Amino acid sequence: MTSRSLQTNTRITPSLHTIASELVLEILREASLATLVSIAQTSARLYNMLRTIRSIWMNSPDIHDLPISAGETLTTIPTSSFLRLALRAVIIRTHLETPFATPVQILKIFELGVEMSVLLPGGNWVIVTHGEKMWIHNIEHGSPEIDSEPIFLASGKIEHVKFESVGSGKATLVLMIAESTNLGLSQSQALIFDLHFAPEGSSEDRPHIASVVSYHIPNLFTIVSIRGHFIMTDDPSDSGDRLVIIDYQRGSGTNFDIRLANFADEIETEELGMTIYDISFNDTLQKLVILAYLRTADREVILFADVPAIESVGTPKSGEISWSQSTLHPTHQYLVPDFQSTKLLISHDEALLSRHIPLHEYTAPSTGVYSKIFHGRDIISVRLAPKGADGEMLFFRFRYEQHPDDLYYTSFKRDHSPEFELTPSVHSRQGISCFNASCTRLSSLRISIPEELLLGRYYMIQTVNPNEGRIVLLIYDDEQENMGRLYIMQY
């Protein structure tokens, strides 16, 4: 045998285990969590790369599906934790999408009388309120009782709760408290908490309150978004056409009128009558995203704006906000076509969706031109294409066929806020259509609720968290009085 034939027979075939690390990174670019978990189990080299190279994970299209703990963010969790979290995410998704999956664990989180519950990121912590009382409880340590000591006792009824993880175990919590003055007039109080959570595995059953800032506010706002030390709220007036931003570190607040462009080419009337019903901050775009409804035109519009400066007017008194007026000029805006528009893409391609930034999801009736093709309601997902060289924003709408018996909720803000259009149910099996947190896939979940838990009583699904495979369920003892017990079902 010649030396040349020996060289030919012993040539190594290129593979992920032998090629240069730069090529591996390029091949794994935009790989899904499930793919990365599988690859990590093939060799020690790839396992170590996935344990140490952060960019592999951050480029994954479904990175937001990771079940990150309360107080942590994608930018603060250690790189070595990504693989463990991704494995957990894949297991949860597989189990949750099993036809008529049954819960592996059921936890009662509160007895009768609970009025509000917020399941925090990571799934182990829950905020529960009852009147003036608030509990922040680790459900792995059992369920709090209505007569147990609350973590906080407010001066009035707790009306709104908003939570944001900051990172490194820290978080911001904002409460809006309804108060009554001696004259019988209604006002509110905003309380901003700096929370510190203990590391995972700690025996502590509540976070530490590091500080509290309190402000009296003339109206009862709904907190819609938190961005650093900015609190963005809705307009409490009947018109609902203004944006209110409070800088709670400086005690300053600004009421913004929003200047809309002329939609004369698409809308006949000039009197639009706008109502804002959602505000968020998009990290990818680094812009405010405002979803509004044009009442006279019966159309939705999506506005984009830079975070404005908040002016300080004088020196505010202790516990008071110094208010100013200004106008917000959107940098871009998109008039959402009406339901009958034919400018829709029908797609279930996760790779295609992952290249577009999610902005808004809603259901559209399958009527008119679509009545022969679609049945029931369909989900429309509005996406934004990455900016081109000229900076132009291109919008795409994707239509998804939805099972007519499924419930629907939107998760484009990644907070899994339910938008269920149903009355209390007694059926032990339910269908839920939902996007994952990364908005790359639409799942039709088939869940089974144990009949021994229901005992024929009415119940309401309050929250669905596909990242954790958890559903918060309110089972009524007295439907007329809206009284019941809260349960978390782990699927």
Side-chain angles (χ1 to χ4, degrees), residues 296-313:
T296 53
D298 194 23
R299 297 278 290 276
E300 291 182 340
V301 63
I302 301 175
L303 309 173
F304 302 87
D306 297 321
V307 178
I310 307 301
E311 299 180 11
S312 295
V313 182

Side-chain angles (χ1 to χ4, degrees), residues 54 58 127 142 200 279 342 427:
R54 194 179 193 88
M58 297 304 292
I127 297 176
E200 285 190 64
I279 307 166
T342 57
H427 302 292

Side-chain angles (χ1 to χ4, degrees), residues 378-446:
D378 299 312
I379 297 177
I380 308 297
S381 179
V382 182
R383 307 287 175 115
L384 179 67
K387 284 187 178 181
D390 57 358
E392 182 184 4
M393 287 187 172
L394 300 177
F395 298 88
F396 295 86
R397 294 201 307 157
F398 297 92
R399 176 181 288 275
Y400 299 85
E401 296 180 53
Q402 181 188 5
H403 192 283
D405 295 332
D406 282 3
L407 309 179
Y408 167 71
Y409 85 104
T410 177
S411 65
F412 72 96
K413 287 198 306 179
R414 320 201 192 288
D415 65 356
H416 313 291
S417 304
E419 289 190 357
F420 295 130
E421 301 171 4
L422 81 166
T423 55
S425 176
V426 293
H427 302 292
S428 60
R429 291 188 173 186
Q430 289 289 356
I432 303 173
S433 290
C434 65
F435 278 99
N436 62 333
S438 299
C439 294
T440 57
R441 61 189 285 151
L442 179 72
S443 298
S444 185
L445 309 180
R446 295 289 182 268

Side-chain angles (χ1 to χ4, degrees), residues 460-475:
M460 178 76 78
I461 296 176
Q462 286 203 338
T463 306
V464 176
N465 186 329
N467 278 31
E468 286 290 339
R470 286 181 170 172
I471 293 176
V472 177
L473 199 70
L474 173 64
I475 300 180

Side-chain angles (χ1 to χ4, degrees), residues 18-38:
T18 59
I19 62 176
S21 297
E22 293 78 6
L23 291 176
V24 175
L25 294 178
E26 187 62 30
I27 292 171
L28 296 183
R29 184 177 180 82
E30 297 187 3
S32 67
L33 296 181
T35 299
L36 295 177
V37 167
S38 297

Side-chain angles (χ1 to χ4, degrees), residues 256-275:
F256 289 94
D257 293 312
I258 299 178
R259 184 67 54 85
L260 286 176
N262 190 352
F263 293 109
D265 294 339
E266 300 180 71
I267 299 177
E268 295 181 358
T269 179
E270 295 183 0
E271 298 296 330
L272 297 177
M274 183 180 69
T275 299

Side-chain angles (χ1 to χ4, degrees), residues 333-364:
Q333 56 191 31
Y334 171 65
L335 185 64
V336 179
D338 59 28
F339 290 145
Q340 303 305 318
S341 171
T342 57
K343 298 178 181 179
L344 292 171
L345 298 177
I346 301 176
S347 176
H348 295 273
D349 184 353
E350 294 181 25
L352 176 63
L353 292 178
S354 67
R355 291 195 292 270
H356 295 80
I357 302 168
L359 299 174
H360 177 39
E361 270 77 47
Y362 61 92
T363 51

